[in-house]
Structure formats: structure tokens, C-alpha cells
Amino acid sequence: MSKALSGYRILDFTHVQSGPACTQLLAWFGADVIKVERAGEGDVTRSQLRDIPEADSLYFTMLNGNKRSITLNTKNQKGKAVLEKLIKECDVLVENFAPGALDRMGFSWERIQELNPKMIMASVKGFGPGPYENCKVYENVAQCAGGAASTTGFDDGPPLVTGAQIGDTGTGMHLALGIMAALIQRQTTGRGQRVLAAMQDAVLNLCRVKLRDQQRLDRTGVMKEYPQYPDTPFGEAVPRAGNASGGGQPGSVLKCKGWETDPNAYIYFIAQAPVWEAICKVIGKEEWLADPEYATPATRLPHLKSIFATVEEWTKTKTKFEVMDILNEFDIPCGPILSMKEIAEEQSLRDTGTIVEVDHPVRGKYLTVGNPIKLSDSPTEVTRSPLLGEHNEEVLSQLGYSSADIADLRSEGVIS
Ligand code: CAO
């Protein structure tokens, strides 16, 4: 069966997480992704956080499935010549080097356009043009600079970063969308173009509701759905809202049976207005229904803490899964706090291909997150990550190099 991106060739000059997450997605959609790695060591993540000596780490294997790998010293003249051939043959070059690294290597955007005017050159950088554009950036720096950390955590604690890799993988997903748009535009213009996704911008995009709240705060000085209201005065900037919901429906994390020993025995509970009556009945607080203090979302706002405490007295008597079953019968929105262990063992995620077990010649079987985006006409088959330089011969011979040329390149250390 053909795939959505069959026939597209991606020169994957990415490393660590943000770029590889983007190119892995393109590979799942069927593109031929050729990962170009430094001769000798390869992507630094191959050896980071290793759980099995000498085997590519899970950090690497879970971000580089479905790709081919070649090693190339692109600072050597012969290596540059190979890269030039690749640039001519590929549709998209994706890179996430430190600012200026590609220019220093001799591959400015102008040079790339000379080599291949149809080339789409897609980059992840930490910051867009401005005071920080030359900075090297990792995940948590982006979370801090993009507004996530200042708005995450509890009011009386320090800023917090989240476990979701919104700076790295989040930016990689933004970049993939930019590449898709550029490929579609190329069909009419015949030209390539540059695509830039800055990590600060991507995080801010995901924190859009907090910029919404900043403007509400500027105008009114108060945000009644925040846990600070009505007891704690608001300052000038959006405060950390703990586990309060970011939308118009109040929510909170509540303890469930077993919370004393299980750190994940909690449920997220949303006091959605249309099901208020059902909530009161389920938890046995019918008297709230006749009480004007609890009659509307607005009158309930000053009582949210005590409302959630009362609901929690009920949730504490049930496991998170029992609470889920009972509340869902009444369409009361809620979600169990699932541990990574529970998610890894969840059969339905295996059934949909969102969690996939892959076999690797060195490390054996491992779990990876499969394609979260399902296309009915382009099913994803997740395959293992390549060994370092596994496709040197295959790719170089496709580029027209003979066996003797390849042997020379190897003996000169251009490939490894
Ligand atoms: N052959 C020869 N040299 C190569 C090469 C190859 N195949 N591939 C890379 N290099 C060189 C680069 O040209 C660069 O050389 P110079 O510094 O001499 O120009 C050098 O390797 C190091 O590249 P780098 O600066 O990108 O790598 P780093 O480890 O120092 O920094 C990172 C890593 C992620 C901070 C930086 O790449 C960056 O800021 N990237 C943009 C933002 C980003 O994607 N961050 C998220 C990463 S995921 O957490």
C-alpha cells in the first residue's frame, strides 16, 4: 500500500530530540529519511542514558525508527561532496544544529539553493531572530522561555517544567507541519523555501491560553477560576494555577482509594456546568441543588475549594478506575492519573499502534511510542532504528558511488 509521503526523500541532519522527532514522523508517513550522522560517534543520544552496554539507547531508538543511517564527516572535502549529492537528490533538509553550524560547514541557505532550488530547508532553533538567536537551547530552556514554567506548578512553589517534551518534540511537530505546507506550496511555485520553528515560539503556541489570561488579568486584575481566587491577591503576571483547569470548566486532581501508598491513585475531576446536577446526586450532595450559593457556575466559584474537597471525600472511597466508570455513566468528565507503567501495559494502546514493541538486533525487544496520528489510507508500520552507518553502502551506491569509491571513503575516515 502506498504511504502519504511515498517518494519524498528527507535529508535528516538532526540530532538529540527535536529534529529527530520531526523526521521520525515524516518516516512514519512513508518518506525515505536518510539520517546523516557524524562519522565515528553518530547522534550523541546513541550513547546517552544507556540501559544496555554497547546497545543504542532507548533515547535514540525511540526517536529514530523507520530511518536509514549513514555516517559522514561533513567537514572533510569528500564528505562535503557526498552531502552535496544528497542535497541534490532530496526534497527536504531538516536540521537542528546550533545557530550558524551549517553555515560554518559551508552549507548556507544560499549554497543549498544553488545546489537544489527545490530544496525545503527546515530548521529547529532555540529562539527566532532577536537577542537570544545565537543561544544553544535544550528542552527545559525552551519551557522556561516560552511561558510554560512560569505558569506551571503551585503558587507557593518555584516554577516547574513539565515531563511532556513540549520544547523538543513539540517543536519537532510544528516543524513537520511547516514542511508539509512548504511541500504543498512547492507544487505550485516549483521553489523550495526555508522553514523555521523556534522552540520558544512552539512552547508559547502551546501556552496560548496563558497569554489569554495575561490580558484578562491586565484588564480585570482577577481571574475567578484560578485557585488564588478569592483568598490570594493576584500580582501583575499570570500565576501558577496548580492543577486548576485552563479552560472555562473548573477542575482539580483528587485523591482516590490507595493514595496513601500509590503516588498515582488520583483522578482529574471536572465540575462541568451541564452535569452539575448529576455530580451532586452521584456524591450524595443533593442539598446543593436547592442552595443558591451553588446554583450557577458563577456562584460556585468562591466555593470551589470546598466543593472539590467534598467530591474528594467520595473519590477517596473508590479506586481511580471505579470513579472513572461511575462518573462516565453520567457523562461527568474525568481522567485517571495513569502511571507510565500502566500506560506501557495498556492493551488498547498496543491495539491501535500507539505503543509498539520493536525488535532490535543489539538491544532486543523494546517499546516505543508509535505514530499518534492515524491516516486511514497510509497506515504506519513502525520499524526499528538503524545501526550507526547501517545504510552507508546502500545510500552511497544509490548516489552513484562504486564499491571502490566507498572503500576509499571508508579508508579515509569520511564514512565509518
Ligand atoms: N560531520 C562533521 N561535523 C559535524 C557533523 C558531521 N556529520 N554533524 C555535526 N557536526 C558538527 C557541527 O558542524 C558543529 O560544528 P561547529 O560547532 O564547529 O560549527 C558541531 O558538530 C556541534 O554541533 P552543535 O553545536 O549543533 O552541537 P552541540 O552538541 O554543541 O549542541 C544543541 C547541541 C542541541 C544545544 C544545539 O545543536 C542546538 O542549540 N540546536 C538547536 C536547538 C535544538 O534543536 N535544541 C534541542 C535539542 S533536543 O534537546
Side-chain angles (χ1 to χ4, degrees), residues 184-242:
I184 292 169
Q185 192 176 10
R186 193 179 75 172
Q187 288 171 3
T188 50
T189 65
R191 284 192 311 277
Q193 62 181 301
R194 287 193 81 163
V195 180
L196 170 68
M199 295 168 76
Q200 181 185 40
D201 300 10
V203 171
L204 175 59
N205 184 34
L206 298 172
C207 290
R208 179 173 296 260
V209 297
K210 298 297 178 180
L211 186 56
R212 171 200 69 191
D213 289 351
Q214 182 62 49
Q215 295 171 83
R216 293 171 59 220
L217 185 64
D218 290 343
R219 183 156 292 127
T220 64
V222 69
M223 292 181 293
K224 292 183 178 171
E225 81 284 10
Y226 272 60
Q228 286 75 5
Y229 179 78
D231 310 321
T232 314
F234 284 82
E236 287 189 340
V238 173
R240 295 185 264 289

Side-chain angles (χ1 to χ4, degrees), residues 15-16 18 38 72 74-75 96 98 104-105 136-137 168:
H15 63 158
V16 201
S18 61
R38 230 192 281 229
L72 202 58
T74 54
K75 288 193 172 162
N96 68 313
R104 288 193 289 279
M105 214 184 269
K136 290 189 173 186
V137 169
D168 279 341

Side-chain angles (χ1 to χ4, degrees), residues 304-323:
L304 278 183
K305 282 191 197 88
S306 73
I307 288 172
F308 286 130
T310 308
V311 179
E312 190 172 60
E313 287 311 309
W314 178 79
T315 57
K316 272 159 68 176
T317 65
K318 318 228 164 336
T319 70
K320 61 188 176 188
F321 297 111
E322 288 167 348
V323 174

Side-chain angles (χ1 to χ4, degrees), residues 222-283:
V222 69
M223 292 181 293
K224 292 183 178 171
E225 81 284 10
Y226 272 60
Q228 286 75 5
Y229 179 78
D231 310 321
T232 314
F234 284 82
E236 287 189 340
V238 173
R240 295 185 264 289
N243 285 314
S245 149
Q249 308 292 345
S252 190
V253 166
L254 305 180
K255 292 170 181 157
C256 293
K257 195 183 209 169
W259 66 274
E260 299 89 339
T261 52
D262 176 355
N264 295 306
Y266 289 83
I267 192 139
Y268 199 88
F269 176 88
I270 299 174
Q272 195 203 17
V275 289
W276 176 246
E277 188 177 334
I279 292 170
C280 297
K281 286 182 177 160
V282 169
I283 66 164

